[in-house]
Amino acid sequence: MALDKEQLVAALRAKGVKATCPMCAHNSWSTLDGYFAHSISSDLQNVQIGANMVPIVAIGCDNCGFLSQHVAATLNLA
């Protein structure tokens, strides 16, 4: 499923996400054009890339580049 940027922005607003960057205090953000997939493992010594994955959506601060990541399922985007 392709990322719908308008749906992402609406979901973040509905959850009360603040527009101010926590690093530089600017409030201009850009959505990334796709998803991240973070691997999760309960065993640090046996992390397997590509095993259990969590789809992540992200926005980046236009001023300093700070990356704000959000679980796609929590925002009903996955």
Side-chain angles (χ1 to χ4, degrees):
M1 171 172 63
L3 179 61
D4 182 331
K5 291 181 179 185
E6 290 179 13
Q7 187 179 8
L8 168 57
V9 171
L12 291 171
R13 285 186 179 142
K15 296 288 186 175
V17 173
K18 305 285 188 250
T20 303
C21 177
M23 301 304 283
C24 71
H26 282 255
N27 61 0
S28 179
W29 296 85
S30 294
T31 56
L32 276 66
D33 289 329
Y35 296 90
F36 287 100
H38 291 306
S39 297
I40 48 175
S41 175
S42 60
D43 180 0
L44 185 59
Q45 303 302 315
N46 191 26
V47 175
Q48 296 179 7
I49 304 301
N52 296 318
M53 304 297 277
V54 176
I56 303 292
V57 293
I59 57 175
C61 175
D62 291 335
N63 183 60
C64 74
F66 176 80
L67 192 63
S68 179
Q69 300 182 47
H70 306 268
V71 176
T74 302
L75 301 175
N76 295 318
L77 300 174

